[in-house]
Amino acid sequence: MSIADLDTQIKYAGDGANVDFALNFAYLSGEVTSIKVIKRDTTVSPPTETAQTAPTHWSFDDATDPTKIVYAIAPLVTDEILIYRETVINQETDFPTADQLTEDQTDRLTLMLQEVNDKLDRALLFPRSADNLPTALPEAEDGLYLGWNGTALENLTAVAGATGATGATGATGATGATGATGATGATGTNGGDGADGLITAIANQTEAEAGVENTKAMTALRTEQAIANRLLDYYTQTLIDTAQTAQDVLIADARARLTTVENNLDINQYSGTQAIQNNEVTGIALEGAGADIAEAPKYGDAFSRNNTGTEFTRATCLIKRSDSIETRFVQVTLVMHYISGAWFIGRESTVVLNDGEPDGLVFTVATDGFGVGLVSYTSDNMLGTGYSGEITWLGKEIPVIIS
């Protein structure tokens, strides 16, 4: 195609109503992306430019009406709309072999345009939508600066600005090094005679050994007697301290031996038996002989521990539950631990002693205000008839050694 029009852009002033803006320049058919739009806001100084994108801000129909763009919302009266062409500098046409010279020249022009564009990218440029463009730069003059005088660029003389406000006071600097020591001053005059001293007599042996008399002097003999008495006190106390240490070791050893014996006595064991009810969801305490009559058979110790003397216990439980459908025979090992004013319980192991299901019990422990933890259980629902259940426990506590 031929291109006679030299225009590459056109600017319009918004009026708050018009949305159609005609093009006054040519572009390559199909290359819609080469059409760019900038909105210029004249309410600020200097005006600001904002790129407008299609189809967010405007639209363009290259097929049916390639002569204008259509804005989605009419620009304001304070807006200026700049429409311009920005063609990608490349050469994508592959000429026939016979036209190789033409293709070479076209390629050369494309390369030259790319080099010119690279130089322009490094140049100082006015905004794309600016109107008051100067025609030339003034000659350089030493000591002057290039500035805008309102209509053109010219060489201007620097004018000192007003003095700025005083800044905040800086932090206090570090303390300087200590100066050299001054010369020694002259010797002062002799003072007057002092008052009579406090020494009024010579201490006797008892006073010397007691070491509390502060107004009597001591002869060499009294000094020797005082030192000997102090040494005797020191060695006597050392012998007493050594004996006490040896005695403490013996007591600790005896206590450890006693603990070993106690751990093997039945006084640290507890055992009991109690019936297990079916489908219990509220929790039933394992109180042994003290349980409700409905928990019969019941006998032995309650499954509970007091924190006095122990903080840890382990119990082995044999559980048997049966009905017309199944029999559960299980051995469960439970451990209880007293931590920060409360008992905690957990399963250490569960062993199914027949080929049935697990026991179906959940154990919990409640701690009262006296440090006593009482174990309770809940049970699942065995669906057969003729249900019976029983739990037997044998536990042993590990005592705390109080030194």
Side-chain angles (χ1 to χ4, degrees):
M1 70 177 182
S2 62
I3 302 174
D5 197 338
L6 299 180
D7 292 327
T8 62
Q9 66 180 39
I10 187 170
K11 183 189 293 185
Y12 293 96
D15 59 6
N18 183 41
V19 295
D20 295 337
F21 298 95
L23 306 182
N24 70 334
F25 52 79
Y27 68 93
L28 295 176
S29 178
E31 291 193 7
V32 178
T33 57
S34 66
I35 298 176
K36 309 293 183 181
V37 179
I38 289 175
K39 183 177 76 173
R40 179 180 171 91
D41 183 1
T42 62
T43 61
V44 294
S45 180
T48 58
E49 294 181 346
T50 304
Q52 306 286 277
T53 59
T56 302
H57 302 103
W58 56 274
S59 60
F60 177 71
D61 192 341
D62 182 48
T64 61
D65 191 359
T67 63
K68 67 179 180 180
I69 69 169
V70 179
Y71 248 78
I73 299 175
L76 303 176
V77 295
T78 56
D79 295 333
E80 292 180 350
I81 302 301
L82 177 70
I83 308 171
Y84 63 95
R85 183 187 70 228
E86 189 173 83
T87 306
V88 178
I89 304 176
N90 59 12
Q91 202 288 97
E92 298 180 339
T93 302
D94 190 6
F95 290 81
T97 303
D99 293 330
Q100 186 62 46
L101 179 60
T102 301
E103 181 175 356
D104 288 347
Q105 294 304 312
T106 303
D107 291 346
R108 175 181 291 275
L109 290 174
T110 301
L111 294 174
M112 294 167 64
L113 286 173
Q114 290 174 342
E115 293 162 8
V116 171
N117 186 66
D118 182 64
K119 292 179 180 180
L120 288 175
D121 285 342
R122 303 168 187 271
L124 294 175
L125 301 176
F126 281 85
R128 186 67 186 249
S129 62
D131 295 321
N132 49 353
L133 302 180
T135 57
L137 292 175
E139 291 288 338
E141 292 186 56
D142 189 26
L144 303 183
Y145 71 94
L146 184 65
W148 184 254
N149 65 7
T151 58
L153 292 171
E154 68 176 357
N155 294 325
L156 301 175
T157 302
V159 178
T163 302
T166 302
T169 302
T172 302
T175 303
T178 303
T181 303
T184 303
T187 303
T189 58
N190 293 328
D193 293 336
D196 293 337
L198 296 177
I199 301 302
T200 59
I202 300 299
N204 58 35
Q205 181 175 353
T206 301
E207 293 170 337
E209 291 177 349
V212 296
E213 179 59 60
N214 199 34
T215 61
K216 295 183 180 181
M218 292 200 302
T219 63
L221 175 60
R222 296 291 179 255
T223 302
E224 181 183 3
Q225 291 169 340
I227 293 174
N229 184 69
R230 292 298 179 189
L231 287 174
L232 177 62
D233 289 344
Y234 169 76
Y235 285 116
T236 300
Q237 186 61 47
T238 300
L239 291 174
I240 292 174
D241 292 343
T242 302
Q244 182 64 49
T245 301
Q247 183 181 9
D248 291 343
V249 172
L250 292 175
I251 292 174
D253 182 66
R255 183 179 289 119
R257 291 174 182 271
L258 178 60
T259 300
T260 302
V261 173
E262 288 178 345
N263 286 340
N264 290 281
L265 294 177
D266 290 342
I267 61 174
N268 293 321
Q269 294 182 349
Y270 54 96
S271 62
T273 295
Q274 190 169 319
I276 293 295
Q277 301 299 315
N278 188 41
N279 195 25
E280 285 291 344
V281 296
T282 58
I284 295 179
L286 295 175
E287 298 179 293
D292 293 338
I293 190 65
E295 302 303 310
K298 57 190 182 69
Y299 61 83
D301 304 315
F303 198 153
S304 66
R305 291 292 92 187
N306 191 309
N307 70 310
T308 302
T310 184
E311 293 181 353
F312 182 81
T313 180
R314 177 185 284 108
T316 299
C317 304
L318 293 178
I319 302 168
K320 182 177 181 182
R321 301 177 66 198
S322 63
D323 62 10
S324 60
I325 298 176
E326 61 173 319
T327 296
R328 302 178 183 180
F329 190 29
V330 182
Q331 175 181 300
V332 176
T333 300
L334 301 175
V335 292
M336 291 172 59
H337 200 174
Y338 187 76
I339 304 173
S340 300
W343 283 97
F344 295 85
I345 192 169
R347 290 189 183 222
E348 187 175 67
S349 65
T350 300
V351 180
V352 179
L353 300 177
N354 63 348
D355 57 355
E357 297 294 326
D359 52 276
L361 302 183
V362 175
F363 295 95
T364 58
V365 61
T367 307
D368 65 14
F370 301 98
V372 176
L374 178 60
V375 178
S376 299
Y377 73 89
T378 58
S379 60
D380 64 359
N381 187 18
M382 296 179 64
L383 302 177
T385 60
Y387 172 84
S388 65
E390 186 176 281
I391 179 172
T392 299
W393 58 88
L394 174 61
K396 184 176 180 63
E397 67 181 30
I398 299 177
V400 175
I401 302 304
I402 302 175
S403 58

